[in-house]
Amino acid sequence: MAARWAVLGLLAAGMASAAKESVLNMCMDAKHHKTQPGPEGALHGQCVLWKDNACCTANTSTGAHQDQSYLYNFNWNHCGVMPDKCKQHFIQDTCLYECSPNLGPWIDQADTSWRRERILNVPLCKEDCELWWEDCKEAVTCKENWHKGWNWTSGTNQCPRGFMCQPFKYVFPRPADLCEKIWSNSYKYTPEHRGGGRCIQMWFDPANGNPNVAVAKYYAQNRGDAAPAPWAVLLLLLPTALLSLL
């Protein structure tokens, strides 16, 4: 029996190590993501930060920059033209979501028809969230949750009946409200700063490497602030399954 448990321990440790490594470099199971990350030398515009290792294709990166693009038929200008200084943050948000292979610790199951996985509570750096809010506070919208509740009868998102267009600063009074509420808690506002290794950066200089690699590694090893790991359930079932084989 002791020998059996020793084998189980070694196998479980090996599986846990492999699972943690895979979560550091993976693509979620969603509408436009590749199945595996890899180089994409022709990424467009703001998405070029991920060209060395990306979950998006060149076509997806181009779509991320277009108003009402084929990606989701989503209209940024649903309450009038969104200012460019605000739109650049939504483009960067889309590039991070579509292209980053470093979001594994926060991948969670999704309950929608168009994707099987989503991100949940990604710890966004203080600067990224506050600059996003600052540059968008005078932009106009009618909803605080952009994931659901739109009128799609025209084929693109329109404000539902009875919803009034108003500046972001009233819909999202604080930076945390914008970052956390707009995409159903995909992001989590944190007091952590860029370069500290404890928060995901939307913006970085690729010449200095991708800082989100180290952040993903930190949270994979300290999973309190990350989404539940799908492989953790498998590890709980492992001893029983392997005992039947020994």
Side-chain angles (χ1 to χ4, degrees), residues 43-66:
L43 292 188
H44 179 70
Q46 293 174 215
C47 294
V48 74
L49 276 62
W50 289 274
K51 68 181 178 64
D52 292 336
N53 193 32
C55 286
C56 62
T57 63
N59 284 343
T60 298
S61 72
T62 299
H65 291 71
Q66 297 170 342

Short mmCIF file of all heavy atoms in Angstrom, two decimals, residues 43-66:
data_model
loop_
_atom_site.label_atom_id
_atom_site.label_comp_id
_atom_site.label_asym_id
_atom_site.label_seq_id
_atom_site.Cartn_x
_atom_site.Cartn_y
_atom_site.Cartn_z
N LEU A 43 0.54 41.03 -36.74
CA LEU A 43 -0.53 41.62 -35.92
C LEU A 43 -0.63 43.11 -36.18
O LEU A 43 0.36 43.81 -36.40
CB LEU A 43 -0.28 41.36 -34.43
CG LEU A 43 -0.40 39.90 -33.97
CD1 LEU A 43 -0.34 39.82 -32.45
CD2 LEU A 43 -1.68 39.25 -34.49
N HIS A 44 -1.86 43.61 -36.09
CA HIS A 44 -2.16 44.99 -36.49
C HIS A 44 -2.16 45.96 -35.31
O HIS A 44 -2.62 45.62 -34.21
CB HIS A 44 -3.53 45.03 -37.16
CG HIS A 44 -3.98 46.38 -37.60
ND1 HIS A 44 -3.39 47.06 -38.64
CD2 HIS A 44 -4.94 47.21 -37.12
CE1 HIS A 44 -3.98 48.23 -38.80
NE2 HIS A 44 -4.93 48.35 -37.89
N GLY A 45 -1.65 47.17 -35.54
CA GLY A 45 -1.80 48.28 -34.62
C GLY A 45 -1.43 47.98 -33.17
O GLY A 45 -0.33 47.52 -32.87
N GLN A 46 -2.36 48.26 -32.28
CA GLN A 46 -2.11 48.13 -30.86
C GLN A 46 -1.91 46.69 -30.42
O GLN A 46 -1.35 46.43 -29.33
CB GLN A 46 -3.25 48.78 -30.06
CG GLN A 46 -3.32 50.29 -30.21
CD GLN A 46 -4.53 50.91 -29.53
OE1 GLN A 46 -5.08 51.89 -30.03
NE2 GLN A 46 -4.96 50.38 -28.40
N CYS A 47 -2.34 45.74 -31.21
CA CYS A 47 -2.19 44.32 -30.85
C CYS A 47 -0.77 43.80 -31.09
O CYS A 47 -0.46 42.67 -30.72
CB CYS A 47 -3.17 43.46 -31.64
SG CYS A 47 -4.92 43.74 -31.25
N VAL A 48 0.08 44.63 -31.70
CA VAL A 48 1.42 44.17 -32.06
C VAL A 48 2.25 43.79 -30.84
O VAL A 48 3.23 43.05 -30.95
CB VAL A 48 2.14 45.26 -32.90
CG1 VAL A 48 2.58 46.43 -32.02
CG2 VAL A 48 3.32 44.68 -33.66
N LEU A 49 1.85 44.24 -29.67
CA LEU A 49 2.57 43.91 -28.43
C LEU A 49 2.69 42.40 -28.24
O LEU A 49 3.63 41.92 -27.61
CB LEU A 49 1.86 44.51 -27.21
CG LEU A 49 2.16 45.97 -26.85
CD1 LEU A 49 1.74 46.92 -27.98
CD2 LEU A 49 1.43 46.37 -25.56
N TRP A 50 1.75 41.64 -28.80
CA TRP A 50 1.72 40.19 -28.58
C TRP A 50 2.23 39.39 -29.78
O TRP A 50 2.02 38.18 -29.85
CB TRP A 50 0.29 39.75 -28.23
CG TRP A 50 -0.11 40.22 -26.87
CD1 TRP A 50 0.12 39.58 -25.68
CD2 TRP A 50 -0.79 41.43 -26.53
NE1 TRP A 50 -0.38 40.32 -24.63
CE2 TRP A 50 -0.93 41.46 -25.11
CE3 TRP A 50 -1.29 42.50 -27.27
CZ2 TRP A 50 -1.57 42.51 -24.44
CZ3 TRP A 50 -1.91 43.55 -26.60
CH2 TRP A 50 -2.04 43.55 -25.20
N LYS A 51 2.90 40.04 -30.73
CA LYS A 51 3.28 39.36 -31.97
C LYS A 51 4.21 38.17 -31.75
O LYS A 51 4.21 37.22 -32.53
CB LYS A 51 3.92 40.34 -32.95
CG LYS A 51 5.27 40.89 -32.54
CD LYS A 51 5.81 41.89 -33.57
CE LYS A 51 7.14 42.48 -33.17
NZ LYS A 51 8.21 41.46 -33.08
N ASP A 52 5.02 38.18 -30.69
CA ASP A 52 5.96 37.08 -30.45
C ASP A 52 5.27 35.82 -29.94
O ASP A 52 5.78 34.71 -30.12
CB ASP A 52 7.03 37.51 -29.45
CG ASP A 52 7.97 38.56 -30.02
OD1 ASP A 52 8.08 38.64 -31.27
OD2 ASP A 52 8.56 39.32 -29.24
N ASN A 53 4.11 36.00 -29.30
CA ASN A 53 3.38 34.84 -28.76
C ASN A 53 1.94 35.28 -28.55
O ASN A 53 1.64 35.97 -27.57
CB ASN A 53 4.00 34.38 -27.45
CG ASN A 53 3.50 33.02 -27.02
OD1 ASN A 53 3.18 32.16 -27.85
ND2 ASN A 53 3.41 32.79 -25.71
N ALA A 54 1.06 34.87 -29.44
CA ALA A 54 -0.30 35.40 -29.43
C ALA A 54 -1.35 34.31 -29.55
O ALA A 54 -1.13 33.26 -30.16
CB ALA A 54 -0.47 36.39 -30.58
N CYS A 55 -2.53 34.61 -28.99
CA CYS A 55 -3.70 33.75 -29.14
C CYS A 55 -4.62 34.27 -30.24
O CYS A 55 -5.66 33.67 -30.50
CB CYS A 55 -4.47 33.67 -27.83
SG CYS A 55 -3.66 32.65 -26.56
N CYS A 56 -4.26 35.39 -30.86
CA CYS A 56 -5.08 35.96 -31.93
C CYS A 56 -4.37 35.85 -33.27
O CYS A 56 -3.15 35.73 -33.33
CB CYS A 56 -5.38 37.44 -31.63
SG CYS A 56 -3.90 38.49 -31.54
N THR A 57 -5.14 35.90 -34.33
CA THR A 57 -4.59 35.92 -35.68
C THR A 57 -4.49 37.37 -36.16
O THR A 57 -5.01 38.29 -35.53
CB THR A 57 -5.50 35.16 -36.65
OG1 THR A 57 -6.76 35.83 -36.72
CG2 THR A 57 -5.70 33.72 -36.20
N ALA A 58 -3.85 37.57 -37.28
CA ALA A 58 -3.74 38.91 -37.86
C ALA A 58 -5.12 39.48 -38.17
O ALA A 58 -5.39 40.66 -37.94
CB ALA A 58 -2.87 38.88 -39.11
N ASN A 59 -6.01 38.65 -38.70
CA ASN A 59 -7.36 39.11 -39.02
C ASN A 59 -8.11 39.56 -37.77
O ASN A 59 -8.81 40.58 -37.79
CB ASN A 59 -8.16 38.00 -39.72
CG ASN A 59 -7.75 37.81 -41.17
OD1 ASN A 59 -7.12 38.68 -41.76
ND2 ASN A 59 -8.09 36.67 -41.74
N THR A 60 -7.97 38.81 -36.69
CA THR A 60 -8.62 39.20 -35.44
C THR A 60 -8.06 40.53 -34.94
O THR A 60 -8.81 41.39 -34.47
CB THR A 60 -8.43 38.11 -34.37
OG1 THR A 60 -9.04 36.90 -34.82
CG2 THR A 60 -9.05 38.52 -33.04
N SER A 61 -6.75 40.71 -35.04
CA SER A 61 -6.15 41.96 -34.57
C SER A 61 -6.63 43.15 -35.40
O SER A 61 -6.81 44.25 -34.87
CB SER A 61 -4.62 41.86 -34.59
OG SER A 61 -4.11 41.88 -35.92
N THR A 62 -6.87 42.94 -36.68
CA THR A 62 -7.41 44.01 -37.52
C THR A 62 -8.84 44.34 -37.10
O THR A 62 -9.22 45.50 -36.96
CB THR A 62 -7.37 43.62 -39.00
OG1 THR A 62 -6.01 43.39 -39.39
CG2 THR A 62 -7.96 44.71 -39.88
N GLY A 63 -9.63 43.30 -36.87
CA GLY A 63 -11.01 43.50 -36.44
C GLY A 63 -11.11 44.22 -35.11
O GLY A 63 -12.07 44.97 -34.86
N ALA A 64 -10.12 44.03 -34.25
CA ALA A 64 -10.13 44.69 -32.93
C ALA A 64 -10.08 46.21 -33.05
O ALA A 64 -10.46 46.92 -32.11
CB ALA A 64 -8.94 44.19 -32.10
N HIS A 65 -9.61 46.71 -34.18
CA HIS A 65 -9.47 48.16 -34.36
C HIS A 65 -10.65 48.79 -35.11
O HIS A 65 -10.69 50.01 -35.27
CB HIS A 65 -8.18 48.46 -35.13
CG HIS A 65 -6.93 48.17 -34.37
ND1 HIS A 65 -6.51 46.88 -34.09
CD2 HIS A 65 -6.02 49.00 -33.80
CE1 HIS A 65 -5.37 46.95 -33.40
NE2 HIS A 65 -5.06 48.20 -33.21
N GLN A 66 -11.58 47.98 -35.57
CA GLN A 66 -12.66 48.49 -36.41
C GLN A 66 -13.92 48.76 -35.61
O GLN A 66 -14.28 47.99 -34.72
CB GLN A 66 -12.97 47.48 -37.52
CG GLN A 66 -11.80 47.25 -38.48
CD GLN A 66 -12.04 46.08 -39.42
OE1 GLN A 66 -12.88 45.23 -39.17
NE2 GLN A 66 -11.28 46.05 -40.51
#
